[in-house]
Structures are given as structure tokens and as C-alpha cells.
Amino acid sequence: MASEQNHLQSHKVGIIGAGISGIAAAKQLSHYSPLVFEATGSIGGVWKHCSFTSTRLQTPRCDFEFSDYPWPERDNSTFPSYQEILEYLHNYATHFDVLKYVKFNSKVVEIRYVGDRETTHLDVKPGEYGTLLRGYPIWEVAVETNQSPNLQWYAFELLVVCIGKYGDVARMPVFPLGKGEDVFHGKVLHTMDYSKLDKDAALQLLKGKKVAIVGYKKSAIDLAVECAKANQGPEGQPCTMVIRTLHWTVPSYWIWGLPFFLFFSTRSSQFLHERPNQSFFKTLLCLLSSPMRKAISKFIESYLLWKLPLVKYGLEPDHPFVEDYASCQMAILPEDFFPEADKGNILFKRASKWWFWSGGIEFEDHTKLEADVVLLATGYDGKKKLQDLLPHPFSNLITDSSGIMPLYRGTIHPLIPNMGFVGYIESVSNLHTAELRCIWLARLADDRFKLPSIGKMIEQTSEEIQVMKRTTRFYKRHCISTYSINHSDEICEEMGWNPWRKKNWFLEAFSPYKSQDYQKQNDA
């Protein structure tokens, strides 16, 4: 490691990462003048560093905005591009003067726990988590600035980690000896590497090439469309999507003429789904509501099978739609995806196992696919990123035995003191949930309410994990979409807010909850 130089600087609050979560945390904790460490030269996180030409938001603008900073054209029905998202984030950060807290090109390379040094000041009883700001440093952070060999050390009472689940660490397939990418004569890129290419370089990579795209989630689908558009005309080559697990995709937020939010995003619709800490009566009602949940899932599936040529291309998933929604894996389909498939520019290959050969990809059925370029849309390993950064023993505690981060209110790990995590539990609108958790975290830091005991927090997180396991086979994504309103209710109640944020009973029952429902001036 680089040499340690410069004196230690002490501050109350440190924030790692300046993506959506980091900017939201900086704004809510601004009265502590936090230091925000951003490893790159700009804010935006994955929207800046893991996006490519076709990347667009998956939700309408009005569902992806800060409570106190609406979009200029919030009723515009188009899905904003990643450039528009970055402009919105930058305008938000400028409007609330958040950028002054950000230290750009400052990469956190080491974290040390020093909380036990101040033994005479310990105010934590056995079984209690304690306050977030104790009056003395708990964490020391080493920061590498502009790739300098000299590290600057900082000390904080509270450290908020907002480096996210995506980006930085690519999840790469593992192959048998002699069947990895080293035997392949073409190019192999993960989507993380592809996103770093400019428009011309990306076009040159794809144009006239036989491209294989591994994956079938949002990034893979967007890549397939980019590849198809780069290969128009007689000299163009089709790209092939190599698919292990199918997921449901939707063409728009309308199902048989009904707005999508009616099925999952209102109090009345979420009342049908299991939630943590529900009463015996509610548990019984959920059991009796099982046929209704299945009927809603089948209703949506019937529309998708009618609207999209899923059967024609062998793309009908073998699991219910609700499982993809419950794991935040429902993707909005680009309108030109299947038209390009109909023209033969996008092909599909189902395969549970594959490996490289010199000319492309080979499958377990012994068929081969010729390829010049293989693009891996195989996701990211955000948990490894955290484990590599946190010191022992906290690095071993960050996930439970099933690989899930057990975060109380999606923010506090009961066994890791004076550290917050924002952006690690997903919902329909990650910006909304990140902002609300940052508001909660700031009020907790202000000592405006107390956390339950460590045992109670572990019990709560365990219950949430069990609910997800019963709801979807893809529970490791840690998504709260089927009980997001109840999750927000509990956060509001803990902060002393009225959890019912609508103007009347009808709106409470049948209108979707959005960020603007949680404006601070509505604080009861």
C-alpha cells in the first residue's frame, strides 16, 4: 500500500460515494458539513460510469425525483435518458449547494475501526446499538487523491457508505481450465468496460461483427438493441443473446388498458401481499388472498403473452410475473427490441452452461456459436466491493449465511457500529427509498429517536428476509417492492411522522405513493 503521510483530519460525518444515495445523504446531513469522497471526477454513480447510449430510466419521471426538487417537466411521459438523469442530479446538487462537500478523485482505500480506543467514553449498554454521534471518532478512513502515492487519513464519528451494488466490481463467469476467455481469439468485454467506450468506439466494436451478449436483464437487452442498430444493412451481422434465466419484460406501464400502479403500488394492492411484522389477522388474510395474487400475476402475464412474441422466440419465463416484480427484475422493453428480432438482427440461445472456444462460445448441448465479440452482461458484485473495503471482523458480518445484507430500515447493520448503508435495498424507485432512508438517518444522527435493541433489529431484518424468501426465488436481490409502502410507514412512524401522507381515504387506498408524499413540510 502507498505510504501513509499527512496528519489525521477529524470530522463528524463522512460519506463514501457521490451517486444518488451519496448526494441524498450529503443533503440531509448537510448541517454536519460532511465530507463526501468520490473516487471519480463527477457525481452520478452508475448513471455516469455504467451507462451507455441506449440507457434510460425504468420508471416515469414523477416516480424518480427528490421530494423537494421535482423534474422541470415531470409530466413528460417519456423515460429520461441517462444524460437527463445526470443533468437532474447535478441541478439538484447545485440547487442545495451539496457539491461543496464532495472531494472528487478521492478513493477510499482502507477503513479502520477505532471505536474501542475511547473506552472511558463508552455509553452503550449491552444489547444497545448506541447513538450515531458519540463525540469521538469511531472510524478512520484512508483516501487516495488523484492517484497520489500519499494517503490522507480522516476520522469520523459516523460513516455512511453509498458505493452501491453496481459498478466497480464485475461479476465474471468461472470456466473450467482451458475453456476460459484466454482460448478465445476475439474480444471479451463486461458491460462495465463497454460503458467506458464513447459512441464511436462502441459502434466500431459492434459494426459488422458477430456479437454474443450473455444475459437477459436490462443491460443485456439495451446492448442487443445497440448491436442491432449498429448492424443495419446487408453487411450487418446479427447479435445473439445467450440466456440462462428468463425474466418478464413489459412494453409500458399499462396492462390491458389499466395503469400498472393499480396492481402493485397502492395500499389496497399491497394489502394482498405478505409484509414483515404483520398481525395474525393479516397473515390469515394473506393466506386467503393467495388466489387473488395469482390471478393478478396471470392477468399481467396474459397481456404480455398477447402483446409480445414471447412464445415465438421461446422467451416465456417459467415463473410467475409477481416473482420478478418482487425481486425488482422487471425490465421495461425498448420499443424496437422485438422489431429488430423480427428482422433477424437479434437472435436468442437458451443455455444454462457455456464456455469459450477459439472461435466463440460452446454450449452444453455441444453446439457452437461463432463470435468476434462477447459482451458479458453478468452483473456486479457489490457485496465483494464492501467486504474488500471493510476491516475484519465487519467484512465477515456484512452478509448473512444466505448472502443478504441484514440492514435495519435498509440502512443500519445491527452488528456494525456508527455506520450507515444507503442504496443496498431495492424498490420500484431507488431514488425515493434512498432519500427517505437518508432523512431517517439524519434524524437518527440528530438523536430525535432511538433505535431498538440490537436483538430487536436483527429480529426485524430476519423477518424481512424470510418474507422475501417466501415471495420470490430471486430473494437475494433484496427488494421490497411488494411491501414498499408498509416499509415507508414503519420509517415514518419511527421518525414521529404520520405514515398516512395522502389528503383523503380514497387516495390512500388507490393512488400510488411517490417521493413528493414525503416532503418534510408534511411532518406531523
Side-chain angles (χ1 to χ4, degrees):
M1 175 169 288
S3 61
E4 298 177 16
Q5 293 185 9
N6 300 326
H7 65 283
L8 188 72
Q9 297 184 26
S10 185
H11 301 264
K12 280 192 173 295
V13 177
I15 300 171
I16 307 177
I20 288 175
S21 299
I23 292 300
K27 192 259 185 179
Q28 300 302 332
L29 291 160
S30 60
H31 51 295
Y32 293 110
S33 298
L35 281 186
V36 183
F37 301 111
E38 170 53 44
T40 70
S42 60
I43 67 171
V46 294
W47 286 105
K48 175 67 177 179
H49 307 293
C50 296
S51 298
F52 28 90
T53 303
S54 60
T55 303
R56 307 186 77 86
L57 184 62
Q58 289 275 283
T59 56
R61 296 165 195 262
C62 59
D63 291 335
F64 193 87
E65 64 183 1
F66 293 101
S67 61
D68 50 6
Y69 194 77
W71 281 86
E73 299 178 5
R74 68 188 308 270
D75 295 325
N76 186 332
S77 61
T78 62
F79 296 112
S81 66
Y82 80 93
Q83 294 99 330
E84 291 177 278
I85 298 279
L86 290 174
E87 182 181 6
Y88 172 74
L89 293 176
H90 189 272
N91 290 342
Y92 170 84
T94 302
H95 179 78
F96 291 107
D97 201 19
V98 170
L99 294 177
K100 67 183 180 183
Y101 304 121
V102 183
K103 295 179 69 68
F104 291 106
N105 299 306
S106 298
K107 181 180 180 181
V108 173
V109 295
E110 185 180 348
I111 298 175
R112 292 176 180 172
Y113 177 67
V114 295
D116 57 358
R117 292 182 184 175
E118 302 285 345
T119 54
T120 58
H121 293 84
L122 286 178
D123 55 356
V124 182
K125 298 177 182 178
E128 288 188 358
Y129 185 87
T131 59
L132 288 185
L133 298 174
R134 300 188 192 173
Y136 55 87
I138 303 295
W139 300 100
E140 290 181 354
V141 173
V143 179
E144 177 187 275
T145 303
N146 294 317
Q147 299 182 333
S148 168
N150 299 324
L151 299 183
Q152 175 65 61
W153 283 87
Y154 300 84
F156 299 101
E157 297 178 36
L158 168 64
L159 194 59
V160 186
V161 182
C162 303
I163 56 178
K165 298 165 66 174
Y166 306 107
D168 298 324
V169 179
R171 180 179 288 115
M172 302 294 287
V174 178
F175 304 99
L177 186 64
K179 295 184 178 182
E181 63 178 271
D182 53 315
V183 304
F184 177 51
H185 293 167
K187 290 186 177 181
V188 180
L189 280 83
H190 190 273
T191 49
M192 183 173 70
D193 302 311
Y194 178 86
S195 65
K196 296 175 183 177
L197 302 176
D198 61 34
K199 189 173 182 179
D200 290 337
L203 180 63
Q204 285 298 115
L205 178 72
L206 303 175
K207 188 175 182 180
K209 308 289 178 49
K210 298 174 183 176
V211 180
I213 300 171
V214 180
Y216 190 63
K217 294 180 185 177
K218 180 58 179 172
S219 294
I221 291 171
D222 286 344
L223 273 177
V225 173
E226 285 199 16
C227 184
K229 289 183 176 180
N231 282 280
Q232 301 292 313
E235 296 183 359
Q237 296 282 350
C239 71
T240 302
M241 299 190 75
V242 179
I243 305 168
R244 183 179 66 176
T245 304
L246 290 169
H247 293 284
W248 291 96
T249 57
V250 298
S252 68
Y253 279 101
W254 291 86
I255 303 294
W256 293 120
L258 298 173
F260 187 85
F261 69 76
L262 286 178
F263 302 104
F264 292 107
S265 301
T266 64
R267 282 194 185 276
S268 56
S269 61
Q270 292 199 356
F271 196 72
L272 299 174
H273 297 270
E274 185 180 2
R275 67 182 70 168
N277 305 317
Q278 61 189 17
S279 64
F280 173 78
F281 172 75
K282 180 65 172 63
T283 301
L284 180 61
L285 187 62
C286 277
L287 184 63
L288 297 175
S289 301
S290 178
M292 177 64 75
R293 292 196 301 273
K294 292 179 181 178
I296 290 172
S297 190
K298 286 291 185 183
F299 183 74
I300 295 173
E301 292 163 31
S302 69
Y303 173 77
L304 298 178
L305 292 171
W306 170 78
K307 182 73 174 179
L308 305 173
L310 302 180
V311 175
K312 173 183 176 181
Y313 291 109
L315 299 177
E316 179 184 359
D318 59 3
H319 57 267
F321 174 85
V322 68
E323 290 199 41
D324 273 345
Y325 185 82
S327 57
C328 295
Q329 295 193 104
M330 179 194 77
I332 296 294
L333 202 65
E335 60 182 16
D336 40 7
F337 180 76
F338 279 117
E340 291 294 341
D342 291 338
K343 291 189 291 186
N345 292 332
I346 301 176
L347 306 176
F348 307 98
K349 171 67 178 180
R350 294 290 309 279
S352 57
K353 293 182 180 180
W354 63 274
W355 50 87
F356 286 101
W357 63 287
S358 60
I361 291 177
E362 184 176 354
F363 304 101
E364 58 185 343
D365 61 2
H366 304 297
T367 60
K368 291 183 176 182
L369 173 67
E370 292 186 358
D372 302 307
V373 178
V374 175
L375 298 176
L376 301 174
T378 49
Y380 299 89
D381 197 342
K383 293 167 188 173
K384 184 180 185 305
K385 183 166 52 171
L386 273 177
Q387 289 168 335
D388 290 345
L389 187 60
L390 293 179
H392 180 79
F394 305 109
S395 57
N396 296 330
L397 298 173
I398 196 68
T399 61
D400 66 9
S401 58
S402 60
I404 298 176
M405 290 178 65
L407 298 177
Y408 179 75
R409 303 299 183 226
T411 310
I412 295 293
H413 193 300
L415 301 178
I416 303 180
N418 298 79
M419 184 175 285
F421 299 86
V422 185
Y424 292 91
I425 295 182
E426 298 183 64
S427 70
V428 177
S429 175
N430 290 329
L431 184 150
H432 160 56
T433 49
E435 182 189 31
L436 186 59
R437 287 169 186 151
C438 289
I439 295 172
W440 177 89
L441 184 65
R443 292 171 74 94
L444 180 61
D446 294 344
D447 219 16
R448 299 182 70 173
F449 63 92
K450 298 291 185 182
L451 289 173
S453 67
I454 291 174
K456 286 288 185 182
M457 289 195 287
I458 292 174
E459 184 180 319
Q460 166 76 14
T461 57
S462 298
E463 174 64 17
E464 289 184 10
I465 291 169
Q466 291 305 314
V467 168
M468 287 186 291
K469 286 182 176 181
R470 291 191 290 266
T471 304
T472 174
R473 70 196 68 186
F474 309 113
Y475 60 86
K476 290 186 179 181
R477 286 288 296 258
H478 207 164
C479 171
I480 61 166
S481 60
T482 56
Y483 60 91
S484 59
I485 296 176
N486 180 73
H487 184 86
S488 297
D489 286 350
E490 293 180 336
I491 288 177
C492 286
E493 288 171 353
E494 208 158 41
M495 292 192 297
W497 289 13
N498 181 359
W500 288 47
R501 315 293 291 178
K502 301 290 188 180
K503 295 180 180 178
N504 56 58
W505 288 88
F506 182 83
L507 293 176
E508 279 290 352
F510 301 110
S511 66
Y513 261 87
K514 300 178 181 179
S515 294
Q516 290 197 335
D517 292 310
Y518 295 93
Q519 292 184 47
K520 283 190 176 182
Q521 55 261 40
N522 291 342
D523 193 344

